[in-house]
Amino acid sequence: MKDFHFDAIAAFENYEIDKMSDGEVMVSTEVVKSSLNYYGNAHGGYLFTLCDQISGLVVISQGSDGVTLQSSINYLKAAKLGEHLTITGICVHKGRTTRVVDVAIHNQEGEHICKATFTMFITGDRGEKVRI
């Protein structure tokens, strides 16, 4: 049997927060070698992690702390090594105990890579001293 091992997948080796306002976050990054699957495309877990992180940042942008309660993702197009990705998260429901966040990832051509929806459970207020 062939020796088999898993390589670590790095989601945030290089990123920039382009926009962060109340309920809306935009982050950009580039697909790097450590984020690829065995087929040479961006790993689905990498793309999901980007979406999950941005959902958390959307909640933080509203002054709250939260954790993912439920999520759903649709992979629409493969992302390739070196592609520039823009991840946008928007709060579409701001409840007292939950938030619903829509996240989309596009490449530099504006093509949809994936679309996700996250239900976030609010665990408390961040407070002014730790707000981003």
Side-chain angles (χ1 to χ4, degrees):
M1 184 164 153
K2 184 179 175 185
D3 186 28
F4 189 79
H5 72 280
F6 289 105
D7 295 322
I9 298 172
F12 284 100
E13 283 188 8
N14 60 333
Y15 70 94
E16 185 172 323
I17 297 176
D18 300 318
K19 178 181 182 180
M20 189 161 187
S21 60
D22 186 13
E24 186 173 354
V25 175
M26 182 183 294
V27 172
S28 58
T29 190
E30 185 175 305
V31 178
V32 294
K33 188 175 180 183
S34 62
S35 64
L36 301 179
N37 63 20
Y38 296 111
Y39 302 106
N41 301 318
H43 193 286
Y46 163 76
L47 296 171
F48 181 87
T49 299
L50 290 173
C51 292
D52 190 39
Q53 291 288 342
I54 273 39
S55 295
L57 288 176
V58 168
V59 170
I60 289 170
S61 78
Q62 296 176 317
S64 298
D65 282 323
V67 296
T68 301
L69 184 62
Q70 190 276 333
S71 61
S72 172
I73 189 166
N74 291 299
Y75 299 99
L76 306 171
K77 181 174 177 48
K80 306 290 186 189
L81 179 64
E83 281 193 320
H84 180 82
L85 303 179
T86 302
I87 308 97
T88 305
I90 299 172
C91 181
V92 295
H93 167 74
K94 184 179 180 181
R96 185 177 52 80
T97 59
T98 62
R99 308 284 160 82
V100 177
V101 180
D102 282 344
V103 182
I105 299 181
H106 294 85
N107 65 13
Q108 69 275 1
E109 305 298 325
E111 300 169 312
H112 262 99
I113 300 300
C114 64
K115 173 89 173 88
T117 300
F118 287 79
T119 301
M120 307 297 288
F121 177 74
I122 302 306
T123 59
D125 291 331
R126 282 193 74 76
E128 288 301 315
K129 64 181 178 184
V130 291
R131 247 184 138 167
I132 294 178

